[in-house]
């Protein structure tokens, strides 16, 4: 394989080689920029995934806390009902004691 040729062919080859080197340099720069952007994108994507996971976990914790709160409120209502019933029973017992005392006096 011989690279001889006319002066014009040699200049054309040198020009083509120069263009090739410039395009290769441009390609290398673009490739480096792409890799940097790709790396950044992947980091952001991972961070997004982590945040979604955290949000899901927090939502689950909030749901559990709300459930516990509702159960606690139900227990409070039940205790109030028992207290009211106990007070009603005490009142009835007092009334019966008064009736018994009146019956004993008669």
């Amino acid at each position: 394989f011989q690279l001889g040729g006319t002066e014009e062919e040699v200049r054309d080859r040198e020009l083509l080689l120069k263009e090739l080197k410039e395009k290769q340099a441009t390609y290398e720069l673009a490739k480096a920029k792409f890799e940097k952007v790709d790396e950044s994108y992947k980091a952001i994507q991972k961070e997004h995934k982590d945040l979604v996971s955290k949000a899901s976990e927090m939502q689950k914790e909030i749901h559990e806390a709300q459930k516990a709160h509702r159960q606690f409120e139900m227990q409070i209502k039940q205790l109030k009902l028992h207290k009211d019933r106990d007070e009603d029973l005490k009142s009835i017992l007092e009334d019966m004691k008064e009736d018994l005392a009146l019956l004993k006096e008669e």
Side-chain angles (χ1 to χ4, degrees):
F1 183 73
Q2 189 176 1
L3 284 180
T6 65
E7 206 174 290
E8 188 178 327
E9 289 173 339
V10 170
R11 262 182 295 169
D12 285 346
R13 256 195 317 272
E14 287 174 358
L15 185 62
L16 287 173
L17 259 171
K18 183 180 175 186
E19 286 179 20
L20 178 63
K21 285 181 182 180
E22 287 173 359
K23 287 182 180 184
Q24 191 170 9
T26 302
Y27 166 78
E28 292 296 327
L29 279 174
K31 181 180 174 189
K33 285 181 184 178
F34 170 80
E35 287 171 353
K36 189 174 180 180
V37 168
D38 189 52
E39 184 179 316
S40 177
Y41 170 77
K42 286 178 181 174
I44 291 169
Q45 193 176 31
K46 183 186 180 314
E47 185 179 353
H48 173 74
K49 183 180 177 184
D50 291 346
L51 288 172
V52 167
S53 179
K54 270 186 184 177
S56 177
E57 188 61 35
M58 289 176 89
Q59 194 172 25
K60 184 179 177 183
E61 289 175 14
I62 289 169
H63 177 71
E64 291 299 320
Q66 288 173 336
K67 184 178 174 183
H69 181 75
R70 284 192 300 273
Q71 289 174 339
F72 183 66
E73 283 181 337
M74 283 177 39
Q75 288 175 341
I76 290 172
K77 285 179 185 179
Q78 288 175 347
L79 289 172
K80 284 181 181 178
L81 287 175
H82 285 295
K83 180 183 172 192
D84 290 347
R85 190 182 72 174
D86 287 348
E87 288 175 1
D88 288 347
L89 289 175
K90 284 180 186 177
S91 177
I92 290 171
L93 183 61
E94 289 299 319
D95 288 347
M96 290 175 78
K97 283 182 183 178
E98 288 176 15
D99 289 346
L100 183 61
L102 288 175
L103 284 174
K104 283 184 181 178
E105 287 178 8
E106 290 178 9

